[in-house]
Amino acid sequence: MDKIVKWGFGMAPLKSSIAEQNKKAIIIVKDFIIGTGSINLRILPDEISWVKGMFNRIIKQDQWDWFTVNMYFDYPLYQDIKAIVNSLKILRNAILKKDDLLGRESLEQLKQSHFIMYCDNYLNYKYSDEKDKNYLYILSRREEPDILKIGMTTRNVQKRVNEINSATGVLYPLSARRVFKVKNCQMVEKEVHDLLAQYRIRADREFFKIEYSKACSLIEDYLKNTSQFYYDAN
C-alpha cells in the first residue's frame, strides 16, 4: 500500500535548529541594514548568505520547507525576491571587498525591494493570526503539475490546503505552488477564473488544465494591470 504523504511538497514545518538560525540571521542582517545594534562584521557575510538562501529557496522551490519559508515572509512579490537575492549577493561582496559605494547601493536596493518589511513579517509571523488576509493560491500535485486548483482564502493558506487534502483523503496531497497576496481575493478569484475559462476542466470546479508557468504569467499580468497586488500599496 502506498504511504500517505503528510505534507504537500514544500509545506513541511521548519526543523527547530533551522528555525532558530533563520531568525538569528534575519535579525543580524536587518539590524545591519537599518543601522541598529552592534554587528560582528566577521560573521555578517555568512548571515547574509543564509538569508539570501532563504529567499532563493522560494524561487527554486526544491526543498520540503520552501513554502513554509515563503509563508513566514507573507508571500513576497517575485520581483522583490529576485531583487533581494541579487542585492544581498552584492552586499556580501561589498563587505568582503570593503567597497563602501557598492555597499550603499545594495542597501538602497534592499530598501526599495521591501526587504525590511519582509523581515518583520517573518519575525512576527504567528500561525494563528488570520486578520485581514486576502490570498489567491495555485495548488497542484507533483504527479499532475499542469492540473491546477486556483482559489482564494481569507485565512492561513496552509490551513486551507490541509483542509482540502483532509476532505479528499488523497494519497498524494495537493501542494501550494504559488500564493499571491492581493487586496480583494473574492473579486480577484472571480476575474482570474473568467480569465482562464478556456482552461477550466469543469464549470463547477476550481481545476484548470494549463501549464503552471503560463498560469502564473497570466495572473501576474492581470494583477499588475488591475493594481491588485497587495504590496503595490506599500
Side-chain angles (χ1 to χ4, degrees):
M1 181 178 179
D2 290 334
K3 180 180 178 181
I4 297 176
V5 180
K6 184 175 182 180
W7 303 99
F9 185 75
M11 304 183 76
L14 299 177
K15 294 180 180 179
S16 58
S17 59
I18 297 297
E20 291 176 6
Q21 177 57 40
N22 286 353
K23 284 193 172 183
K24 171 177 171 284
I26 287 173
I27 290 170
I28 289 173
V29 176
K30 176 192 169 187
D31 284 351
F32 174 75
I33 291 173
I34 64 178
T36 61
S38 178
I39 306 299
N40 185 341
L41 293 178
R42 289 182 299 176
I43 68 169
L44 184 58
D46 288 341
E47 304 301 337
I48 291 173
S49 291
W50 186 277
V51 175
K52 180 170 69 71
M54 292 174 66
F55 283 96
N56 242 336
R57 71 201 300 118
I58 300 173
I59 296 174
K60 294 180 179 179
Q61 299 188 7
D62 59 353
Q63 302 292 325
W64 275 97
D65 62 358
W66 78 262
F67 178 84
T68 306
V69 171
N70 195 26
M71 177 176 66
Y72 277 43
F73 282 124
D74 204 12
Y75 313 107
L77 294 172
Y78 264 42
Q79 65 192 45
D80 285 346
I81 295 175
K82 292 175 181 177
I84 287 168
V85 167
N86 184 60
S87 298
L88 288 174
K89 179 181 178 181
I90 295 173
L91 177 61
R92 182 179 184 277
N93 289 336
I95 292 170
L96 293 174
K97 296 177 180 179
K98 299 181 180 180
D99 187 330
D100 290 341
L101 177 59
L102 193 61
R104 286 195 297 271
E105 290 176 351
S106 60
L107 291 176
E108 184 58 33
Q109 290 170 358
L110 285 168
K111 292 175 182 176
Q112 291 176 4
S113 302
H114 307 112
F115 177 75
I116 300 302
M117 178 183 65
Y118 296 136
C119 288
D120 288 338
N121 288 347
Y122 193 100
L123 296 172
N124 297 319
Y125 174 80
K126 293 181 180 179
Y127 189 71
S128 59
D129 184 9
E130 297 185 354
K131 299 182 296 183
D132 302 323
K133 303 296 185 182
N134 276 267
Y135 300 119
L136 181 81
Y137 56 73
I138 301 178
L139 316 180
S140 76
R141 296 185 180 90
R142 296 185 78 185
E143 297 73 24
E144 298 176 307
D146 293 334
I147 303 296
L148 310 179
K149 179 176 175 60
I150 302 175
M152 69 86 184
T153 185
T154 57
R155 302 169 51 227
N156 181 288
V157 176
Q158 190 176 69
K159 289 182 182 179
R160 177 61 185 139
V161 176
N162 290 342
E163 289 173 354
I164 293 170
N165 287 327
S166 296
T168 56
V170 294
L171 288 175
Y172 302 103
L174 288 162
S175 302
R177 298 182 66 183
R178 187 72 179 271
V179 176
F180 303 92
K181 189 172 186 181
V182 298
K183 298 173 185 175
N184 185 332
C185 60
Q186 288 89 352
M187 183 192 77
V188 167
E189 181 195 52
K190 180 182 182 302
E191 295 191 353
V192 166
H193 284 181
D194 290 342
L195 177 68
L196 303 178
Q198 63 179 306
Y199 306 103
R200 199 163 191 162
I201 296 174
R202 270 176 43 181
D204 61 340
R205 300 291 297 275
E206 295 180 342
F207 286 93
F208 301 80
K209 184 173 178 55
I210 178 175
E211 185 179 346
Y212 169 72
S213 60
K214 183 175 182 179
C216 287
S217 179
L218 290 171
I219 292 171
E220 285 178 345
D221 287 344
Y222 156 77
L223 292 175
K224 289 176 183 177
N225 291 335
T226 58
S227 299
Q228 274 297 318
F229 274 125
Y230 172 82
Y231 291 120
D232 284 350
N234 293 289

